[in-house]
Amino acid sequence: MRKYILVGVDDSPEAQIALRWAVDAAAARELPVRVIRAYLNEISRWAMGAEGYVPPPMPLDKYQHELDAAVQYARDRLGYDGGSGWLANSDPANALLIEAENAEMVVVGTRSRNKMSAAVLGSVATAVSAKASCPVVVVRGERRTGPVVVGTDGSPDSEEAITFAFEEAARTGERLDVVYCWQPQAEDAASIDSTEELLRNWLAESLAPYRDKFPTVPVRASVAEGRAGTRLIKRSAKASLVVVGSRGRGGVTGLLLGSVSQSLLHHADSPVAIVRRSKES
């Protein structure tokens, strides 16, 4: 089965921004877009209510219209075969995770950063980012120019995130900023300077194979003191995309994202790509 870019939509402006981002990403990769419009089955909830209560009809026509409009938007830009959709009688996170099995990437939108929207983000974007087997891009705001920023810590998760970031920078023509964050343990300045120099040398060596594979991508590598989440959030203000590995733990307890990716999902100013380590690696 041919891969696709998967995007979830609803009636919010943020969903339309995510749809546009997904279509642009699909065009750059020469892939189709798969649109999901999910809705909760309110009937089951009503059935638990007072006896004799007759619920109002579900607005299925409205949901179908939203889905059809999104699919048509994709087809207008990618051709008829470039758009398909599913009106899912399910919660959005579950529907997206089902379709993510055959996706190249999942794209979801998020609302403004406040306490109320955090619950919405937690129930959809965080769940999908934590469990999807492919990269998940959480979009905040319209697509913009600026460097692609990727955080690395030398782990296998970081390696896949770096590969994704190089590929994105190559497609968009943007500069790639690779950031290694650390928190010094020593107190004397000489030890700190020596460790930082070792880290810079290690970072340069670790990026050499990627530079060879992507010779057209301008790269700026840096070692920064401080917490990774804080540093990457600051850099997101001028970035077109921030990329990180999930750092999720395996098994049942591994459904949570790492602290860095969690922080970025809730506080970054740019879209955030969460890249999970593939099953093959």
Side-chain angles (χ1 to χ4, degrees), residues 34-47:
R34 176 79 166 157
V35 184
I36 302 298
R37 178 40 167 123
Y39 62 96
L40 289 172
N41 188 347
E42 300 289 345
I43 295 176
S44 62
R45 195 187 310 169
W46 289 326

Side-chain angles (χ1 to χ4, degrees), residues 52-68:
Y53 173 70
V54 179
M58 296 184 70
L60 293 182
D61 289 346
K62 172 180 177 293
Y63 301 148
Q64 187 67 56
H65 175 74
E66 292 168 0
L67 175 64
D68 291 344

Side-chain angles (χ1 to χ4, degrees), residues 36 90 96 110 129 166 172 208 255:
I36 302 298
S90 173
L96 287 166
T110 180
S129 299
F166 265 95
T172 61
L255 300 184

Side-chain angles (χ1 to χ4, degrees), residues 239-262:
S240 59
L241 180 69
V242 177
V243 184
V244 289
S246 69
R247 298 294 287 167
R249 296 165 293 177
V252 176
T253 60
L255 300 184
L256 297 176
L257 292 171
S259 60
V260 175
S261 48
Q262 283 274 16

